[in-house]
């Protein structure tokens, strides 16, 4: 599904290299977790994959279902089936959540050469999905993220993900602001959307999230590289002993 080979990326302005040769393959149907100490480049990897401005890829490749991701603009990445959680974290006063989501879904359909969803059709689908994901449809009537609690933003994000039906979900769960309830929501969302033709890359600083999402593969990132790959037990090892020993062994 996702194949990253020897990916190097630098900050455009300072020229500082952050990713120093990342190798990573995410198979369809699998949940891969990336853990690692603060500053190891986890978020940078997700930004580079999402096509965020300010980064320059200097070497290596990333393909999604065989297509060169790094060559695509942001809309093309979404059309190709990539979803980055937190890609729409902003509050948008005056824009209804429903309208916003329909715009995103139709932009994706258009880019794929599919017909746009009518308002009535969209309403039906989103209500069904909201129910499936146990999300209160009231939230759809409010302006995007305005006054949403942390938990509501998370629910909203999961609903977006469910609506866009991505092939690859990349979730960067930063260390800040994820309380236990929000973490459970994220985990429920991931678990509900797991499917044989969908891959997940879940980035997290703490092991706690992985108490609720059982990853198939765990990677440890350090100084811009994946330094160790293992099964779920690797996350438990980190929880117990921290990163120091793993990083020493793999230096
Ligand atoms: P992580 O998500 O693993 O905590 P990041 O990808 O956020 O790591 O950061 C990796 C490194 O890149 C850190 O040393 C960080 O200070 C640096 N970095 C990231 N973005 C910027 C930026 N815009 N300006 C300067 N340094 C940055
Ligand atoms: Mg960080
Ligand atoms: Mg980060």
């Amino acid at each position: 599904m996702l194949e990253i080979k020897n990916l190097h990326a630098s900050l455009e302005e300072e020229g500082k290299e952050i990713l120093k040769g990342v190798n990573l393959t995410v198979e369809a149907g699998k949940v891969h977790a990336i853990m690692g100490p603060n500053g190891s480049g986890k978020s940078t990897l997700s930004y580079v994959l999402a096509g965020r401005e300010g980064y320059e890829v200097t070497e290596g490749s990333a393909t999604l279902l065989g297509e060169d991701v790094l060559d695509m603009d942001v809309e093309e990445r979404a059309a190709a089936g990539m979803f980055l959680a937190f890609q729409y974290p902003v509050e948008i006063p005056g824009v209804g959540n429903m309208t916003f989501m329909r715009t995103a879904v139709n932009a994706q359909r258009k880019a794929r050469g599919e017909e746009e969803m009518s308002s009535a059709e969209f309403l039906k689908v989103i209500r069904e999905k909201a129910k499936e994901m146990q999300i209160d449809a009231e939230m759809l009537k409010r302006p995007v993220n305005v006054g949403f609690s942390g938990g509501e933003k998370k629910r909203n994000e999961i609903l977006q993900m469910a609506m866009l039906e991505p092939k690859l979900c990349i979730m960067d769960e930063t260390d800040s602001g994820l309380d236990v309830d929000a973490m459970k929501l994220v985990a429920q969302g991931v678990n509900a959307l797991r499917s044989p033709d969908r891959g997940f890359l879940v980035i997290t600083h703490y092991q706690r999230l992985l108490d609720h999402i059982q990853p198939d593969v765990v990677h440890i990132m350090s100084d811009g590289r994946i330094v160790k790959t293992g099964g779920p037990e690797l996350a438990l090892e980190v929880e117990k002993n921290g990163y120091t020993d793993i990083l020493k062994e793999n230096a």
Side-chain angles (χ1 to χ4, degrees), residues 49-51 62-64 66-82:
L49 291 174
T63 55
L64 178 66
E67 284 185 66
D68 182 0
V69 167
L70 303 175
D71 211 32
M72 300 177 189
D73 62 33
V74 175
E75 288 75 21
E76 289 169 333
R77 290 178 206 217
M82 190 181 271

Side-chain angles (χ1 to χ4, degrees), residues 70-111:
L70 303 175
D71 211 32
M72 300 177 189
D73 62 33
V74 175
E75 288 75 21
E76 289 169 333
R77 290 178 206 217
M82 190 181 271
F83 177 88
L84 187 84
F86 284 136
Q87 65 185 337
Y88 311 122
V90 285
E91 301 187 359
I92 318 179
V95 176
N97 205 12
M98 181 89 78
T99 305
F100 180 74
M101 287 215 203
R102 188 154 77 94
T103 305
V105 167
N106 279 336
Q108 187 196 47
R109 293 187 142 226
K110 201 171 160 199

Side-chain angles (χ1 to χ4, degrees), residues 129-188:
K129 296 261 188 209
K131 205 171 162 196
E132 235 171 78
M133 312 294 293
Q134 300 177 354
I135 290 168
D136 186 353
E138 271 304 298
M139 220 169 55
L140 296 169
K141 296 181 185 159
R142 292 164 56 186
V144 181
N145 283 329
V146 176
F148 282 23
S149 68
E152 286 172 331
K153 282 183 181 160
K154 279 284 144 198
R155 281 199 188 87
N156 208 36
E157 184 181 282
I158 298 291
L159 185 58
Q160 271 176 25
M161 195 155 92
M163 287 303 296
L164 288 166
E165 301 185 328
K167 292 284 177 208
L168 176 73
C169 303
I170 301 172
M171 319 180 67
D172 186 4
E173 299 305 341
T174 47
D175 341 340
S176 58
L178 256 198
D179 61 21
V180 174
D181 290 339
M183 221 178 306
K184 282 187 185 158
L185 282 173
V186 173
Q188 274 168 18

Side-chain angles (χ1 to χ4, degrees), residues 17-21 37 39-41 221-227 247:
E17 186 171 65
I18 309 286
L19 301 183
K20 302 176 180 175
S40 52
M221 191 159 181
S222 168
D223 194 22
R225 284 188 198 93
I226 305 290
V227 295
L247 297 185

